[in-house]
Amino acid sequence: MAATGQIFSRTTQALFYNYKQLPIQRMLDFDFLCGRETPSVAGIINPGSEGFQKLFFGQEEIAIPVHSAVEAACAAHPTADVFINFASFRSAAASSMAALKQPTIRVVAIIAEGVPESDTKQLIAYAKANNKVLIGPATVGGVQAGAFKIGDTAGTIDNIIQCKLYRPGSVGFVSKSGGMSNELYNSIARVTDGIYEGIAIGGDVFPGSTLSDHVLRFNNIPQIKMMVVLGELGGRDEYSLVEALKTGKINKPVVAWVSGTCATLFKSEVQFGHAGAKSGGEMESAQAKNEALRQAGAIVPTSYEAFEGAIKETFSKLVEGGKVTTVKEVKPPQIPEDLSTAIKSGKVRAPTHIISTISDDRGEEPTYAGVPMSSIVEQGLGVGDVISLLWFKRSLPHYCSRFIEICIMLCADHGPCVSGAHNTIVTARAGKDLVSSLVSGLLTIGPRFGGAIDDAARYFKDAYDKGLTPYEFVESMKKKGIRVPGIGHRIKRGDNRDKRVELLQLFARSNFPSVKYMEYAVEVETYTLSKANNLVLNVDGAIGSLFLDLLAGSGMFTKQEIDEIVGIGYLNGLFVLARSIGLIGHTFDQKRLKQPLYRHPWEDVLYTK
């Protein structure tokens, strides 16, 4: 490892690879706790994505740039010299090598476990040859108290405060284990003035930097007065520390313990948690390493339970010898609590911004009006049943859902010449996308095209409920200057009825308990046909009147609910849903046929002054 002293400071900034909200937010919260003026995360690298991610720096919300490539991020943030890699073990090596090759990057931390050993060796060789620092793989990272921390190092804010990591102490700590690092940060804070810097080198067989690399580095940092080392059985990393101690390269007290002494109780070789925690012979045993460290001059307790006591005793001697000055205690600022956390703990309450009563996606599977998705599929329910759940918030009888499906099928399309289809075709031929083409057709739906179903239902219901005769109803509408919605057709006549209307009426007479509103609409049609042969009951009028019969005859809706359904526009929604099928079809048809831009012919326009 190239570094011979301090590798982090209060101004250190990092690039974070593979966006993870929680570890980044923990880094920013640590920054705020330490009183940093600038966030420690300068940029995020998320392959294939660019833009910004919103996070909190104290109480202030900030936008951190997101880059799609390592090279672009390094160019945009030349002062960021730490690369924190949260990629999976599959891609960690490639992205780490890309970072090591950047002249601005000085330190690379690889979080992933299981990086192929051959890849790790290449990374180590490149880092060594180019004077770079490599921490990991399989590491939680490291921390310089009061200055900078990597990802999830030291855990929660409560733990960080308990370990006094918001301000520098006098102890340098290095371990293979990230989890045990948290434990030792607590122990060290209890019996000393706390950590100055802590590093977890990672538990893989080939760590990017070794225990001795960091102890030698700590030895050159004036603020560090003693070192604490936690090793583990397996490998021979600790022997490089033994050699450094024997040759006098380390002149500060080292308190060390190698865990795994219990391995001798097992008859066969045991693999402990880390890939490297596996004794390959007597020299790699915890007992042998502890004895070698003790003979080299390290302070080695008799057991892990005595580790904290040894640290305390060593620190007390330094204080007594005047080598450690008292650290001035500071009260860290209060980290603002996230709203979601505060709500869960019952500390605050906040109003919701949206109300939803038709569906819920919070459980193991989405539900429609309380019915699980799997149940819908298992029962063989259809589109009509889904509409009944999402629109009417109840399961309607089969004849009702079947009627809804028939309406959708019969209204799906009415040829290319009607206004909606025409608009969609023109838009598609202009090269616009599916959604634009669909919407251009849907926007023509209104009182004159397909949007009269609600009005037909509203007027037929009002007239029937008031007991008006067809004559009284039609003539009263005439006096108001209102055409009767649902009556009249540009093509169909009394002697050439709309087949769709006949099919709907046939289904209703065969399946509905009552068709009183439809029969009233037919009586109105009989009267209007006496006025003109094209004043037939059209599909809008048929659906409008039959939907009234469906709502009233099913016995599942109150009068108030029926009035609300008609008033809100449910029935026009049925036409919109149905016609969307045809408009999408027209869009695909024009795209498939590769039709050119449409221009209306001159001969079809009356040019006049």
Side-chain angles (χ1 to χ4, degrees), residues 514-594:
S514 168
V515 288
K516 61 182 182 182
Y517 287 107
M518 185 199 77
E519 296 296 3
Y520 182 74
V522 170
E523 291 175 13
V524 171
E525 178 193 44
T526 301
Y527 177 75
T528 56
L529 281 173
S530 68
K531 300 279 189 177
N533 198 33
N534 70 325
L535 296 180
V536 293
L537 182 67
N538 59 37
V539 73
D540 291 350
I543 293 176
S545 59
L546 284 170
F547 235 106
L548 290 174
D549 287 324
L550 182 152
L551 296 170
S554 67
M556 300 183 70
F557 300 90
T558 65
K559 181 182 182 304
Q560 181 181 354
E561 286 177 322
I562 294 172
D563 290 340
E564 185 178 52
I565 287 169
V566 174
I568 288 175
Y570 275 52
L571 309 189
N572 279 349
L574 198 61
F575 182 84
V576 170
L577 175 62
R579 191 50 57 94
S580 293
I581 299 171
L583 298 179
I584 290 171
H586 284 295
T587 302
F588 291 155
D589 192 39
Q590 297 303 307
K591 299 284 188 183
R592 185 171 53 249
L593 295 171
K594 297 180 175 58

Side-chain angles (χ1 to χ4, degrees), residues 205-367:
V205 176
F206 298 102
S209 51
T210 65
L211 297 173
S212 59
D213 286 337
H214 292 285
V215 171
L216 288 168
R217 189 168 59 78
F218 293 161
N219 195 65
N220 295 327
I221 300 174
Q223 297 91 331
I224 293 179
K225 307 301 181 183
M226 63 175 285
M227 282 82 85
V228 175
V229 179
L230 179 64
E232 63 185 23
L233 84 164
R236 301 198 174 190
D237 188 12
E238 289 81 2
Y239 287 104
S240 61
L241 178 56
V242 168
E243 185 63 26
L245 285 164
K246 283 183 175 180
T247 56
K249 293 180 180 178
I250 299 167
N251 53 28
K252 296 176 183 178
V254 176
V255 183
W257 177 254
V258 179
S259 60
T261 54
C262 65
T264 56
L265 300 175
F266 297 93
K267 293 181 179 179
S268 59
E269 187 176 75
V270 176
Q271 171 74 60
F272 287 80
H274 294 145
K278 180 179 179 180
S279 180
E282 177 59 29
M283 280 192 70
E284 295 186 12
S285 69
Q287 284 85 349
K289 291 181 180 181
N290 279 325
E291 184 57 33
L293 285 165
R294 186 180 294 111
Q295 291 182 8
I299 300 157
V300 181
T302 56
S303 66
Y304 179 80
E305 288 73 19
F307 198 18
E308 185 175 312
I311 296 169
K312 180 179 181 180
E313 183 181 348
T314 304
F315 183 77
S316 297
K317 288 180 180 179
L318 290 171
V319 173
E320 291 169 6
K323 294 184 178 181
V324 175
T325 55
T326 305
V327 173
K328 184 181 178 182
E329 283 297 338
V330 293
K331 186 178 180 180
Q334 180 72 36
I335 297 289
E337 195 167 13
D338 288 342
L339 182 61
S340 59
T341 304
I343 290 173
K344 285 181 181 178
S345 64
K347 293 179 181 178
V348 299
R349 59 188 181 191
T352 55
H353 297 91
I354 294 176
I355 301 174
S356 176
T357 64
I358 63 170
S359 61
D360 192 334
D361 59 344
R362 294 171 298 176
E364 292 185 3
E365 60 177 316
T367 61

Side-chain angles (χ1 to χ4, degrees), residues 114 145 155 160 167 216 258 276 301 335 408 412 429 480 507 528 583 585:
I160 287 169
R167 53 92 176 131
L216 288 168
V258 179
I335 297 289
I408 291 172
R429 290 178 61 167
K480 296 174 186 175
F507 179 85
T528 56
L583 298 179

Side-chain angles (χ1 to χ4, degrees), residues 13-24 27 40-49 53 55 64-74 77 80-100 102 105 107-112 115 139 148-152:
Q13 285 195 300
L15 296 174
F16 195 104
Y17 188 92
N18 196 20
Y19 176 69
K20 296 284 187 294
Q21 190 269 339
L22 186 57
I24 296 178
M27 288 179 67
S40 59
V41 180
I44 298 165
I45 303 164
N46 224 26
S49 300
Q53 280 290 349
L55 293 122
I64 296 181
V66 178
H67 306 276
S68 61
V70 172
E71 295 77 9
C74 291
H77 309 283
D81 58 2
V82 177
F83 184 85
I84 301 172
N85 196 342
F86 265 75
S88 71
F89 70 90
R90 298 177 187 86
S91 60
S95 48
S96 295
M97 183 61 81
L100 287 170
Q102 301 306 307
I105 297 299
V107 179
V108 172
I110 305 173
I111 310 302
V115 176
T139 180
F148 176 84
K149 89 178 184 85
I150 293 172
D152 292 316

